[in-house]
Amino acid sequence: MGLVQAVKGAVGGVLADQWKDFYTVPAGLPATAALFAAVPQGTNAGRGSNTQGSSNIISNGSKIVVPEGYGLLLFQDGAITAFVAEPGGYEWRSDDLNSQSLFAGDGLVSTFIKQSWERFKFGGQPGSQQAAFFVSLKELPDNRFGTQSEIYWDDGFLNTQVGAVTRGSYTLKIVDPILFVKNFVPAAYLQPGKVFDFTDLDNAAATQLFNEVVGSLAPAFSLYTNDPGKGNRITRLQQDSIGFAQSLSAAVEQAYQWQSDRGLAIVKTAIVSIEYDATTRELLKTVQRADALAGSRGNSNLQASVAQGIQSAGENGGAAGLVGVGMASGMFGVGGMQQPATPAADDPVAKLKKAKEMLDLGLITQDDYDALKAKALGL
């Protein structure tokens, strides 16, 4: 009975595999699917009825359509034999005996007899394995990262170590499909019906990538904030998705060789939140104050403070109060805000000169100047 079944299976399989197939992308794929097998289209508008063909044999003359944004990997007995990166329709041709088809002009008698004999030796099934897999060449979104506790790095702008809890996402791209399949994809995903998805929580390989990204965040922050081209500003991280992606990709490559060993690269990032630790928050407040008092803005703020002080002194102490404030403002160089003034304490000429400068700047009125002048001259 076993012999009869083997013969029956061999002959039946040969007959079924003579038909040409039309291979395309399976339906219902998620947007994050990275690698999946091409599937034959069984029916179209009620036509098409070959459901008995071998799942691991592609008949000569079969057509495979490669859509935009995808590449096609061809396998023969587990080995990659070809890769197509351009979209379009392609015809399958193989020298393997099991792929011969009378509909492709491979002959009738030789095709049937040779294939039947070969399959008979393997219990009725083909003694070969052929497969076509689509691989995404697009940016694959929604790859998330996050830390449960603070990570620390040396910050070039703050000139000290800072820490934060952060979370976000990144887009991933397969830049070398052959390296990706050979060195990273588990064999379990190189089967019909399987979909390799980086966002699949049950995908152990994808989980490994997540852990490696988290482990690379601190070096990536350090690379970014110590890069003079980025202005060494930690606060620019959330607005510079491509710039930080380059830093993160470099950190991942340095530690885990994603691109050189696995054919993977991080393209863009989106940092959803950065929660700095208490020490870093205080440092950032200090930097903000320093920024507010820097340059011309700082001069304006200081002049406003001096003017306010003069007004308060005038209200509380009259001309005498103004003299004190005027002398204090002279120490800061109110006119130019740059060079200190050091007049002699009891020199009436110096006092009058300073009072005249204050009058010219509009810091005191003519009456105030006259009062100061009278006091300085002892009138």
Side-chain angles (χ1 to χ4, degrees):
M1 179 62 69
L3 180 61
V4 173
Q5 289 295 330
V7 172
K8 179 181 178 181
V11 175
V14 170
L15 288 170
D17 287 336
Q18 297 306 300
W19 294 96
K20 296 180 181 181
D21 290 308
F22 187 87
Y23 285 83
T24 186
V25 174
L29 282 173
T32 50
L35 181 76
F36 45 88
V39 295
Q41 183 170 307
T43 60
N44 187 346
R47 295 182 294 275
S49 58
N50 181 26
T51 60
Q52 303 300 317
S54 302
S55 61
N56 58 344
I57 291 297
I58 304 176
S59 299
N60 279 343
S62 294
K63 190 171 184 178
I64 304 177
V65 175
V66 182
E68 289 280 358
Y70 292 91
L72 178 68
L73 283 164
L74 303 180
F75 292 78
Q76 175 75 39
D77 296 331
I80 298 174
T81 58
F83 173 69
V84 176
E86 296 295 326
Y90 295 86
E91 183 179 297
W92 173 274
R93 278 287 173 179
S94 173
D95 294 331
D96 188 273
L97 177 64
N98 293 283
S99 287
Q100 292 186 4
S101 167
L102 63 93
F103 296 113
D106 294 326
L108 176 61
V109 176
S110 61
T111 296
F112 270 70
I113 295 176
K114 290 180 180 179
Q115 288 188 33
S116 296
W117 173 242
E118 288 298 317
R119 297 188 186 199
F120 171 72
K121 291 189 293 185
F122 288 94
Q125 64 181 357
S128 182
Q129 186 181 55
Q130 300 164 337
F133 278 81
F134 290 112
V135 59
S136 178
L137 303 179
K138 305 176 182 180
E139 287 185 46
L140 298 169
D142 205 30
N143 301 281
R144 302 185 182 187
F145 62 81
T147 60
Q148 295 182 346
S149 58
E150 287 87 356
I151 56 173
Y152 293 89
W153 67 92
D154 294 327
D155 188 276
F157 180 71
L158 297 178
N159 198 30
T160 187
Q161 188 181 74
V162 300
V165 175
T166 183
R167 63 187 180 91
S169 64
Y170 61 92
T171 63
L172 193 61
K173 192 169 186 178
I174 301 171
V175 295
D176 191 326
I178 296 176
L179 270 182
F180 172 63
V181 172
K182 278 191 170 184
N183 295 345
F184 190 69
V185 177
Y189 288 95
L190 299 177
Q191 303 291 333
K194 292 288 187 176
V195 176
F196 187 97
D197 190 334
F198 290 109
T199 65
D200 185 0
L201 297 178
D202 295 327
N203 185 340
T207 300
Q208 177 65 28
L209 294 181
F210 169 84
N211 293 333
E212 291 176 1
V213 168
V214 171
S216 301
L217 285 174
F221 283 135
S222 182
L223 283 172
Y224 188 91
T225 58
N226 285 279
D227 182 358
K230 303 293 191 301
N232 300 118
R233 291 292 184 134
I234 189 176
T235 51
R236 293 184 181 177
L237 281 169
Q238 288 173 282
Q239 290 79 38
D240 190 6
S241 63
I242 296 179
F244 180 66
Q246 292 171 345
S247 298
L248 181 57
S249 184
V252 167
E253 178 65 18
Q254 183 176 1
Y256 303 104
Q257 293 77 52
W258 273 26
Q259 186 162 336
S260 57
D261 284 356
R262 300 170 179 172
L264 297 172
I266 293 173
V267 182
K268 296 184 182 71
T269 58
I271 298 179
V272 177
S273 68
I274 301 179
E275 300 174 9
Y276 302 108
D277 62 8
T279 303
T280 303
R281 288 197 297 270
E282 288 300 318
L283 284 171
L284 288 173
K285 288 180 181 179
T286 302
V287 171
Q288 289 172 344
R289 295 191 194 100
D291 286 346
L293 296 175
S296 60
R297 178 180 296 178
N299 287 342
S300 298
N301 288 341
L302 186 55
Q303 287 181 10
S305 298
V306 171
Q308 180 64 38
I310 290 173
Q311 180 179 352
S312 299
E315 293 174 351
N316 296 329
L322 288 171
V323 171
V325 173
M327 297 297 291
S329 64
M331 295 177 64
F332 295 100
V334 174
M337 301 304 293
Q338 293 179 355
Q339 296 190 6
T342 56
D346 298 325
D347 186 355
V349 175
K351 291 182 179 179
L352 287 174
K353 182 178 179 181
K354 181 55 62 179
K356 184 64 167 63
E357 291 178 356
M358 294 171 66
L359 176 63
D360 293 340
L361 289 171
L363 298 177
I364 59 176
T365 64
Q366 183 64 46
D367 291 340
D368 293 330
Y369 173 75
D370 293 339
L372 290 170
K373 178 178 178 182
K375 184 175 181 64
L377 297 177
L379 299 176

